[in-house]
Each structure stands twice: as structure tokens, then as C-alpha cells.
Amino acid sequence: MSGHDVLLHCQGVHVRFGGVMALTDVDFQVLEGTITALIGPNGAGKTTLLNVVSGMVPCSEGRVELLGRDMTRAPAWERSRAGAVRTFQNLEVFTTMNVLENVMTGAHRVVRYGPISALLKTPAYFRGEHRCRELAEEKLTFVGIDSDWNLPAGELPYGKQRLLELARALAAQPRLLLLDEPAAGLNTTETRALAELIRRIRDELGITVAIVEHDMDLIMGVSNAITVLHFGQVIASGTPSEIQKNPEVVAAYLGEEA
Ligand SMILES: Nc1ncnc2c1ncn2[C@@H]1O[C@H](COP(=O)(O)OP(=O)(O)OP(=O)(O)O)[C@@H](O)[C@H]1O
């Protein structure tokens, strides 16, 4: 891994929702091998930008280069199949499926067999299912869920359900993992453990991470680079220490507290 390839490059992105300019001329870049954060006060446009990157919201102007390809107009499934996999701000766990099956749905994005194989239960189907199960078990263990795999996912405590989502995203074997507020609803201990896990995702699995998050301790502790949005525009980009000292950023956050 070179550590310097650009895995994600948004250039001049504009998004309008009716009369609201959610994003104006946004440039955002994620280098391979980094944890890159997108921060900003409420309503700044962070989730909208993640939605543009993952193909859930089209941009009215601009370009999205993802994993070395122009994906500005590519559908969401094509982006995730290419290796850009995201999690969501709100829990997206299939509550009645068991824990292992939930994570296997992530693996199904990359381990493929045709519908005929599934219907006729061919050897290709069994090989595929075996691989999905292996991947799911590996990722559950990685995130620290090493028991209760047969429980309905909805019966796990909230913090573990968030880890389960992460395991499911990892089972899809991303090159770029897009995390939307992964610490939402977690307590301080769980948030610290999450920070360590995100570091291990970069360092042990070699996965590049782009993260939207409000928890500043987490962001300042794990990020290699930070981009700050305010009212849909980028007001700063830099290292955590550069961002902490930036007067425009400080003013944007103070404005939010006022
Ligand atoms: N589907 C939509 N239709 C209309 N307006 C929208 C839509 N989605 C977002 N917006 C508006 O776009 C702006 C940016 O919203 P967005 O959710 O991206 O901000 P955010 O930075 O993620 O906020 P938060 O930190 O509160 O989650 C806001 O003014 C929001 O009200």
C-alpha cells in the first residue's frame, strides 16, 4: 500500500434540496491508509456528502472519483461492489435475523453465486455460503462479539448492535469504509473502545476510513486528516492540531453553542 493514493476525491460538489443549498462547491479528499474525518456543526452537510459519495444522493454539479474511477453517476450498488461500503447514522440491524446471519448479508455483497445455484443448492452455493460464514465469524471476532451469534440481533445491547453493523460492513471487505456517526448513542467507555477499533481497522486490516462524527475526542484522537463543513461549504482542511487552532472552525462551533 503506497499510503498516498487518493481513494476518494470529491471536486466542486453542489447539492440542492429545493431552496436549500446543502453543499456548495465542496472539495473533499481521502488518502489511502488514513482515517479522514468530516466534521461540522448540525446541518453542515456531512451526511449529505456521505450520501453523495455512496451514491444515495446525486450531485447537481461536481465530480466524485472513487477508488480510481469516475463514479459521479454510478449507482450505490456499483460503488459498494467496487469497495466503498458505508454504515448509517441510525441503527440498520435486521432485528429478527440472528447475529451471524446479519453479518453474512455483508459478505454476500462480495461472495457471489447465481440464483440457480441457490435454488438447486449446487456445490458453488455451499462453497459460497461457507465462505460467507467464515468471513462473518472472522469479522464478529474482530469487533469483539465472540458469543451470542445465534441470538436475534435485536436482543443484543445497543452498543453491540453498533459493533454488529461495523462487522457487517467489514464482511463486505471494503477498501474504503464510510462511517456515519458510529459513536452515536454510545457511552464514554464504548466510545473509547470504538476509537481503538477504528484504528485497528486501518492498521490491521489496511482499510481506509472516512468518518462523520460529532464526538471531538474520538475525532481528534484517531484522525490523520480532518475536513470541516459549515453551512454546506468547506471552511478548513488539515491535521487535528491545525483544525483545533483554526479560528474559523472555533467560531463555527462557538456559534453552534450560542
Ligand atoms: N432530503 C432532504 N431534503 C431537504 N433538505 C435536506 C435533506 N437532507 C438534508 N437536508 C438539509 O440539508 C442540510 C444539510 O443536512 P445534513 O443532514 O447533510 O447535515 P449534517 O451535517 O449531517 O447534520 P447533522 O450533524 O445534524 O446530522 C440541512 O439544512 C438539512 O436540513
mmCIF file of all heavy atoms in Angstrom, residues 80-81 94 97 100-113 118 124-133 135-136 168-173:
data_model
loop_
_atom_site.group_PDB
_atom_site.id
_atom_site.type_symbol
_atom_site.label_atom_id
_atom_site.label_comp_id
_atom_site.label_asym_id
_atom_site.label_seq_id
_atom_site.Cartn_x
_atom_site.Cartn_y
_atom_site.Cartn_z
ATOM 1 N N SER A 80 -20.537 0.187 -3.820
ATOM 2 C CA SER A 80 -20.210 -0.731 -2.727
ATOM 3 C C SER A 80 -19.532 -1.979 -3.274
ATOM 4 O O SER A 80 -18.609 -2.500 -2.666
ATOM 5 C CB SER A 80 -21.436 -1.038 -1.866
ATOM 6 O OG SER A 80 -22.328 -1.844 -2.550
ATOM 7 N N ARG A 81 -19.930 -2.425 -4.457
ATOM 8 C CA ARG A 81 -19.264 -3.591 -5.025
ATOM 9 C C ARG A 81 -17.802 -3.271 -5.356
ATOM 10 O O ARG A 81 -16.929 -4.122 -5.253
ATOM 11 C CB ARG A 81 -19.993 -4.077 -6.279
ATOM 12 C CG ARG A 81 -19.554 -5.470 -6.643
ATOM 13 C CD ARG A 81 -20.234 -5.995 -7.871
ATOM 14 N NE ARG A 81 -21.605 -6.373 -7.651
ATOM 15 C CZ ARG A 81 -22.411 -6.805 -8.607
ATOM 16 N NH1 ARG A 81 -21.986 -6.897 -9.854
ATOM 17 N NH2 ARG A 81 -23.650 -7.144 -8.335
ATOM 18 N N PHE A 94 -30.865 -5.923 11.092
ATOM 19 C CA PHE A 94 -32.069 -6.736 10.826
ATOM 20 C C PHE A 94 -32.388 -7.452 12.132
ATOM 21 O O PHE A 94 -31.769 -8.467 12.466
ATOM 22 C CB PHE A 94 -31.811 -7.724 9.689
ATOM 23 C CG PHE A 94 -31.304 -7.062 8.434
ATOM 24 C CD1 PHE A 94 -30.071 -7.410 7.897
ATOM 25 C CD2 PHE A 94 -32.049 -6.080 7.795
ATOM 26 C CE1 PHE A 94 -29.598 -6.794 6.744
ATOM 27 C CE2 PHE A 94 -31.580 -5.455 6.645
ATOM 28 C CZ PHE A 94 -30.352 -5.805 6.115
ATOM 29 N N MET A 97 -33.272 -11.329 12.343
ATOM 30 C CA MET A 97 -32.229 -12.261 11.871
ATOM 31 C C MET A 97 -31.227 -12.448 12.990
ATOM 32 O O MET A 97 -31.007 -11.523 13.774
ATOM 33 C CB MET A 97 -31.463 -11.582 10.729
ATOM 34 C CG MET A 97 -31.676 -12.142 9.391
ATOM 35 S SD MET A 97 -30.526 -11.264 8.293
ATOM 36 C CE MET A 97 -31.422 -11.374 6.807
ATOM 37 N N LEU A 100 -25.132 -13.782 13.429
ATOM 38 C CA LEU A 100 -24.260 -14.274 12.357
ATOM 39 C C LEU A 100 -24.867 -13.995 10.979
ATOM 40 O O LEU A 100 -24.171 -13.535 10.065
ATOM 41 C CB LEU A 100 -24.026 -15.783 12.545
ATOM 42 C CG LEU A 100 -22.988 -16.389 11.627
ATOM 43 C CD1 LEU A 100 -21.588 -15.918 12.010
ATOM 44 C CD2 LEU A 100 -23.031 -17.915 11.674
ATOM 45 N N GLU A 101 -26.186 -14.259 10.849
ATOM 46 C CA GLU A 101 -26.841 -14.031 9.542
ATOM 47 C C GLU A 101 -26.769 -12.564 9.139
ATOM 48 O O GLU A 101 -26.587 -12.238 7.958
ATOM 49 C CB GLU A 101 -28.313 -14.456 9.607
ATOM 50 C CG GLU A 101 -28.511 -15.955 9.668
ATOM 51 C CD GLU A 101 -29.907 -16.351 10.173
ATOM 52 O OE1 GLU A 101 -30.667 -15.473 10.640
ATOM 53 O OE2 GLU A 101 -30.204 -17.545 10.123
ATOM 54 N N ASN A 102 -26.900 -11.654 10.120
ATOM 55 C CA ASN A 102 -26.775 -10.229 9.826
ATOM 56 C C ASN A 102 -25.441 -9.926 9.161
ATOM 57 O O ASN A 102 -25.374 -9.208 8.169
ATOM 58 C CB ASN A 102 -26.850 -9.415 11.134
ATOM 59 C CG ASN A 102 -28.203 -8.792 11.341
ATOM 60 O OD1 ASN A 102 -28.469 -7.713 10.828
ATOM 61 N ND2 ASN A 102 -29.062 -9.488 12.066
ATOM 62 N N VAL A 103 -24.384 -10.469 9.727
ATOM 63 C CA VAL A 103 -23.046 -10.169 9.207
ATOM 64 C C VAL A 103 -22.832 -10.875 7.867
ATOM 65 O O VAL A 103 -22.167 -10.351 6.971
ATOM 66 C CB VAL A 103 -21.966 -10.525 10.251
ATOM 67 C CG1 VAL A 103 -20.582 -10.169 9.742
ATOM 68 C CG2 VAL A 103 -22.241 -9.773 11.549
ATOM 69 N N MET A 104 -23.443 -12.063 7.715
ATOM 70 C CA MET A 104 -23.330 -12.772 6.433
ATOM 71 C C MET A 104 -23.934 -11.961 5.287
ATOM 72 O O MET A 104 -23.483 -12.057 4.152
ATOM 73 C CB MET A 104 -23.985 -14.153 6.522
ATOM 74 C CG MET A 104 -23.132 -15.154 7.300
ATOM 75 S SD MET A 104 -23.930 -16.761 7.503
ATOM 76 C CE MET A 104 -23.876 -17.431 5.834
ATOM 77 N N THR A 105 -24.944 -11.123 5.584
ATOM 78 C CA THR A 105 -25.520 -10.312 4.493
ATOM 79 C C THR A 105 -24.458 -9.354 3.930
ATOM 80 O O THR A 105 -24.482 -9.022 2.752
ATOM 81 C CB THR A 105 -26.756 -9.487 4.930
ATOM 82 O OG1 THR A 105 -26.351 -8.557 5.942
ATOM 83 C CG2 THR A 105 -27.882 -10.347 5.436
ATOM 84 N N GLY A 106 -23.519 -8.924 4.784
ATOM 85 C CA GLY A 106 -22.409 -8.092 4.298
ATOM 86 C C GLY A 106 -21.510 -8.897 3.376
ATOM 87 O O GLY A 106 -21.137 -8.449 2.289
ATOM 88 N N ALA A 107 -21.197 -10.115 3.796
ATOM 89 C CA ALA A 107 -20.322 -10.977 2.992
ATOM 90 C C ALA A 107 -20.966 -11.322 1.648
ATOM 91 O O ALA A 107 -20.278 -11.482 0.640
ATOM 92 C CB ALA A 107 -19.999 -12.244 3.772
ATOM 93 N N HIS A 108 -22.301 -11.401 1.623
ATOM 94 C CA HIS A 108 -22.989 -11.725 0.362
ATOM 95 C C HIS A 108 -22.756 -10.665 -0.712
ATOM 96 O O HIS A 108 -22.968 -10.918 -1.884
ATOM 97 C CB HIS A 108 -24.503 -11.903 0.605
ATOM 98 C CG HIS A 108 -24.842 -13.241 1.165
ATOM 99 N ND1 HIS A 108 -25.634 -13.411 2.276
ATOM 100 C CD2 HIS A 108 -24.484 -14.495 0.791
ATOM 101 C CE1 HIS A 108 -25.744 -14.702 2.548
ATOM 102 N NE2 HIS A 108 -25.056 -15.377 1.672
ATOM 103 N N ARG A 109 -22.338 -9.463 -0.285
ATOM 104 C CA ARG A 109 -22.053 -8.437 -1.302
ATOM 105 C C ARG A 109 -20.823 -8.803 -2.130
ATOM 106 O O ARG A 109 -20.665 -8.332 -3.242
ATOM 107 C CB ARG A 109 -21.787 -7.087 -0.632
ATOM 108 C CG ARG A 109 -22.988 -6.503 0.037
ATOM 109 C CD ARG A 109 -22.744 -5.024 0.248
ATOM 110 N NE ARG A 109 -23.309 -4.616 1.522
ATOM 111 C CZ ARG A 109 -23.124 -3.432 2.069
ATOM 112 N NH1 ARG A 109 -22.386 -2.535 1.468
ATOM 113 N NH2 ARG A 109 -23.682 -3.130 3.203
ATOM 114 N N VAL A 110 -19.931 -9.583 -1.552
ATOM 115 C CA VAL A 110 -18.704 -9.893 -2.303
ATOM 116 C C VAL A 110 -18.593 -11.362 -2.706
ATOM 117 O O VAL A 110 -17.927 -11.683 -3.678
ATOM 118 C CB VAL A 110 -17.426 -9.496 -1.510
ATOM 119 C CG1 VAL A 110 -17.142 -8.038 -1.660
ATOM 120 C CG2 VAL A 110 -17.498 -9.903 -0.057
ATOM 121 N N VAL A 111 -19.238 -12.252 -1.943
ATOM 122 C CA VAL A 111 -19.192 -13.679 -2.299
ATOM 123 C C VAL A 111 -20.448 -13.964 -3.104
ATOM 124 O O VAL A 111 -21.552 -13.863 -2.585
ATOM 125 C CB VAL A 111 -19.152 -14.570 -1.039
ATOM 126 C CG1 VAL A 111 -19.130 -16.037 -1.412
ATOM 127 C CG2 VAL A 111 -17.961 -14.209 -0.175
ATOM 128 N N ARG A 112 -20.277 -14.270 -4.374
ATOM 129 C CA ARG A 112 -21.451 -14.340 -5.237
ATOM 130 C C ARG A 112 -21.650 -15.742 -5.812
ATOM 131 O O ARG A 112 -20.696 -16.433 -6.126
ATOM 132 C CB ARG A 112 -21.312 -13.354 -6.408
ATOM 133 C CG ARG A 112 -20.792 -12.039 -5.972
ATOM 134 C CD ARG A 112 -21.191 -10.918 -6.889
ATOM 135 N NE ARG A 112 -21.688 -9.855 -6.060
ATOM 136 C CZ ARG A 112 -22.947 -9.514 -5.937
ATOM 137 N NH1 ARG A 112 -23.866 -10.140 -6.628
ATOM 138 N NH2 ARG A 112 -23.300 -8.543 -5.148
ATOM 139 N N TYR A 113 -22.926 -16.127 -5.893
ATOM 140 C CA TYR A 113 -23.305 -17.307 -6.671
ATOM 141 C C TYR A 113 -24.670 -16.983 -7.253
ATOM 142 O O TYR A 113 -25.417 -16.188 -6.704
ATOM 143 C CB TYR A 113 -23.339 -18.578 -5.807
ATOM 144 C CG TYR A 113 -24.007 -18.404 -4.471
ATOM 145 C CD1 TYR A 113 -25.391 -18.385 -4.367
ATOM 146 C CD2 TYR A 113 -23.247 -18.226 -3.323
ATOM 147 C CE1 TYR A 113 -26.009 -18.203 -3.144
ATOM 148 C CE2 TYR A 113 -23.857 -18.044 -2.094
ATOM 149 C CZ TYR A 113 -25.237 -18.032 -2.013
ATOM 150 O OH TYR A 113 -25.842 -17.840 -0.808
ATOM 151 N N ALA A 118 -28.362 -21.161 -5.955
ATOM 152 C CA ALA A 118 -29.039 -21.117 -4.654
ATOM 153 C C ALA A 118 -30.260 -22.022 -4.660
ATOM 154 O O ALA A 118 -30.528 -22.751 -3.702
ATOM 155 C CB ALA A 118 -29.425 -19.682 -4.328
ATOM 156 N N ALA A 124 -21.378 -24.852 -5.779
ATOM 157 C CA ALA A 124 -20.980 -23.430 -5.758
ATOM 158 C C ALA A 124 -21.737 -22.696 -4.651
ATOM 159 O O ALA A 124 -21.175 -21.843 -3.956
ATOM 160 C CB ALA A 124 -21.271 -22.784 -7.111
ATOM 161 N N TYR A 125 -23.007 -23.031 -4.469
ATOM 162 C CA TYR A 125 -23.805 -22.419 -3.407
ATOM 163 C C TYR A 125 -23.212 -22.748 -2.033
ATOM 164 O O TYR A 125 -23.013 -21.868 -1.208
ATOM 165 C CB TYR A 125 -25.256 -22.911 -3.506
ATOM 166 C CG TYR A 125 -26.071 -22.667 -2.255
ATOM 167 C CD1 TYR A 125 -26.622 -21.412 -2.005
ATOM 168 C CD2 TYR A 125 -26.277 -23.694 -1.324
ATOM 169 C CE1 TYR A 125 -27.355 -21.187 -0.837
ATOM 170 C CE2 TYR A 125 -27.011 -23.469 -0.174
ATOM 171 C CZ TYR A 125 -27.544 -22.211 0.066
ATOM 172 O OH TYR A 125 -28.261 -21.990 1.209
ATOM 173 N N PHE A 126 -22.903 -24.036 -1.807
ATOM 174 C CA PHE A 126 -22.371 -24.418 -0.489
ATOM 175 C C PHE A 126 -21.004 -23.796 -0.232
ATOM 176 O O PHE A 126 -20.722 -23.355 0.877
ATOM 177 C CB PHE A 126 -22.323 -25.953 -0.349
ATOM 178 C CG PHE A 126 -23.695 -26.533 -0.128
ATOM 179 C CD1 PHE A 126 -24.324 -27.273 -1.122
ATOM 180 C CD2 PHE A 126 -24.370 -26.313 1.074
ATOM 181 C CE1 PHE A 126 -25.600 -27.784 -0.917
ATOM 182 C CE2 PHE A 126 -25.645 -26.830 1.279
ATOM 183 C CZ PHE A 126 -26.261 -27.561 0.276
ATOM 184 N N ARG A 127 -20.172 -23.743 -1.303
ATOM 185 C CA ARG A 127 -18.857 -23.101 -1.135
ATOM 186 C C ARG A 127 -19.037 -21.629 -0.775
ATOM 187 O O ARG A 127 -18.378 -21.104 0.115
ATOM 188 C CB ARG A 127 -18.042 -23.205 -2.445
ATOM 189 C CG ARG A 127 -17.234 -24.481 -2.592
ATOM 190 C CD ARG A 127 -16.171 -24.325 -3.678
ATOM 191 N NE ARG A 127 -16.715 -23.874 -4.962
ATOM 192 C CZ ARG A 127 -17.234 -24.682 -5.882
ATOM 193 N NH1 ARG A 127 -17.294 -25.976 -5.674
ATOM 194 N NH2 ARG A 127 -17.710 -24.193 -7.020
ATOM 195 N N GLY A 128 -19.963 -20.964 -1.490
ATOM 196 C CA GLY A 128 -20.219 -19.529 -1.246
ATOM 197 C C GLY A 128 -20.723 -19.285 0.170
ATOM 198 O O GLY A 128 -20.229 -18.396 0.870
ATOM 199 N N GLU A 129 -21.674 -20.118 0.606
ATOM 200 C CA GLU A 129 -22.225 -19.945 1.958
ATOM 201 C C GLU A 129 -21.164 -20.188 3.019
ATOM 202 O O GLU A 129 -21.099 -19.494 4.028
ATOM 203 C CB GLU A 129 -23.410 -20.901 2.178
ATOM 204 C CG GLU A 129 -24.700 -20.424 1.563
ATOM 205 C CD GLU A 129 -25.130 -19.056 2.087
ATOM 206 O OE1 GLU A 129 -25.733 -18.986 3.166
ATOM 207 O OE2 GLU A 129 -24.859 -18.052 1.401
ATOM 208 N N HIS A 130 -20.301 -21.174 2.753
ATOM 209 C CA HIS A 130 -19.228 -21.479 3.700
ATOM 210 C C HIS A 130 -18.290 -20.276 3.830
ATOM 211 O O HIS A 130 -17.913 -19.877 4.934
ATOM 212 C CB HIS A 130 -18.467 -22.723 3.221
ATOM 213 C CG HIS A 130 -17.359 -23.130 4.142
ATOM 214 N ND1 HIS A 130 -17.584 -23.666 5.389
ATOM 215 C CD2 HIS A 130 -16.006 -23.027 4.009
ATOM 216 C CE1 HIS A 130 -16.426 -23.884 5.982
ATOM 217 N NE2 HIS A 130 -15.452 -23.501 5.170
ATOM 218 N N ARG A 131 -17.954 -19.680 2.694
ATOM 219 C CA ARG A 131 -17.053 -18.506 2.686
ATOM 220 C C ARG A 131 -17.706 -17.329 3.424
ATOM 221 O O ARG A 131 -17.050 -16.614 4.182
ATOM 222 C CB ARG A 131 -16.705 -18.138 1.238
ATOM 223 C CG ARG A 131 -15.768 -16.962 1.094
ATOM 224 C CD ARG A 131 -14.365 -17.280 1.620
ATOM 225 N NE ARG A 131 -13.540 -16.095 1.704
ATOM 226 C CZ ARG A 131 -12.877 -15.728 2.802
ATOM 227 N NH1 ARG A 131 -12.944 -16.443 3.901
ATOM 228 N NH2 ARG A 131 -12.133 -14.648 2.802
ATOM 229 N N CYS A 132 -19.016 -17.129 3.194
ATOM 230 C CA CYS A 132 -19.729 -16.036 3.873
ATOM 231 C C CYS A 132 -19.700 -16.245 5.383
ATOM 232 O O CYS A 132 -19.489 -15.306 6.153
ATOM 233 C CB CYS A 132 -21.188 -15.962 3.423
ATOM 234 S SG CYS A 132 -21.371 -15.268 1.786
ATOM 235 N N ARG A 133 -19.913 -17.486 5.798
ATOM 236 C CA ARG A 133 -19.920 -17.787 7.238
ATOM 237 C C ARG A 133 -18.535 -17.543 7.840
ATOM 238 O O ARG A 133 -18.402 -16.938 8.889
ATOM 239 C CB ARG A 133 -20.352 -19.254 7.433
ATOM 240 C CG ARG A 133 -20.358 -19.716 8.876
ATOM 241 C CD ARG A 133 -20.885 -21.130 8.946
ATOM 242 N NE ARG A 133 -22.319 -21.144 8.740
ATOM 243 C CZ ARG A 133 -23.210 -21.136 9.733
ATOM 244 N NH1 ARG A 133 -22.794 -21.127 10.977
ATOM 245 N NH2 ARG A 133 -24.486 -21.130 9.486
ATOM 246 N N LEU A 135 -16.209 -15.497 6.729
ATOM 247 C CA LEU A 135 -15.962 -14.047 6.784
ATOM 248 C C LEU A 135 -16.715 -13.418 7.945
ATOM 249 O O LEU A 135 -16.185 -12.576 8.672
ATOM 250 C CB LEU A 135 -16.433 -13.384 5.479
ATOM 251 C CG LEU A 135 -15.432 -13.316 4.344
ATOM 252 C CD1 LEU A 135 -16.132 -12.840 3.065
ATOM 253 C CD2 LEU A 135 -14.290 -12.362 4.697
ATOM 254 N N ALA A 136 -17.981 -13.822 8.118
ATOM 255 C CA ALA A 136 -18.814 -13.252 9.179
ATOM 256 C C ALA A 136 -18.222 -13.576 10.545
ATOM 257 O O ALA A 136 -18.120 -12.698 11.420
ATOM 258 C CB ALA A 136 -20.243 -13.778 9.066
ATOM 259 N N ARG A 168 -20.627 -6.169 9.905
ATOM 260 C CA ARG A 168 -21.297 -6.436 8.619
ATOM 261 C C ARG A 168 -20.634 -5.658 7.485
ATOM 262 O O ARG A 168 -20.419 -6.185 6.394
ATOM 263 C CB ARG A 168 -22.785 -6.079 8.717
ATOM 264 C CG ARG A 168 -23.554 -6.488 7.477
ATOM 265 C CD ARG A 168 -25.036 -6.250 7.641
ATOM 266 N NE ARG A 168 -25.302 -4.872 7.982
ATOM 267 C CZ ARG A 168 -26.414 -4.457 8.586
ATOM 268 N NH1 ARG A 168 -27.341 -5.315 8.925
ATOM 269 N NH2 ARG A 168 -26.571 -3.187 8.853
ATOM 270 N N ALA A 169 -20.290 -4.398 7.765
ATOM 271 C CA ALA A 169 -19.611 -3.588 6.741
ATOM 272 C C ALA A 169 -18.234 -4.184 6.431
ATOM 273 O O ALA A 169 -17.821 -4.263 5.271
ATOM 274 C CB ALA A 169 -19.475 -2.149 7.219
ATOM 275 N N LEU A 170 -17.534 -4.674 7.465
ATOM 276 C CA LEU A 170 -16.201 -5.252 7.246
ATOM 277 C C LEU A 170 -16.285 -6.563 6.461
ATOM 278 O O LEU A 170 -15.388 -6.889 5.685
ATOM 279 C CB LEU A 170 -15.495 -5.505 8.583
ATOM 280 C CG LEU A 170 -15.100 -4.258 9.368
ATOM 281 C CD1 LEU A 170 -14.548 -4.633 10.736
ATOM 282 C CD2 LEU A 170 -14.079 -3.420 8.591
ATOM 283 N N ALA A 171 -17.381 -7.308 6.666
ATOM 284 C CA ALA A 171 -17.546 -8.581 5.951
ATOM 285 C C ALA A 171 -17.678 -8.358 4.448
ATOM 286 O O ALA A 171 -17.452 -9.274 3.660
ATOM 287 C CB ALA A 171 -18.756 -9.335 6.488
ATOM 288 N N ALA A 172 -18.026 -7.136 4.058
ATOM 289 C CA ALA A 172 -18.107 -6.817 2.622
ATOM 290 C C ALA A 172 -16.721 -6.477 2.069
ATOM 291 O O ALA A 172 -16.589 -6.097 0.912
ATOM 292 C CB ALA A 172 -19.083 -5.668 2.384
ATOM 293 N N GLN A 173 -15.699 -6.610 2.887
ATOM 294 C CA GLN A 173 -14.300 -6.409 2.503
ATOM 295 C C GLN A 173 -14.049 -5.098 1.762
ATOM 296 O O GLN A 173 -13.578 -5.093 0.622
ATOM 297 C CB GLN A 173 -13.818 -7.604 1.678
ATOM 298 C CG GLN A 173 -13.880 -8.888 2.503
ATOM 299 C CD GLN A 173 -13.276 -10.058 1.774
ATOM 300 O OE1 GLN A 173 -13.855 -10.566 0.817
ATOM 301 N NE2 GLN A 173 -12.121 -10.470 2.203
#
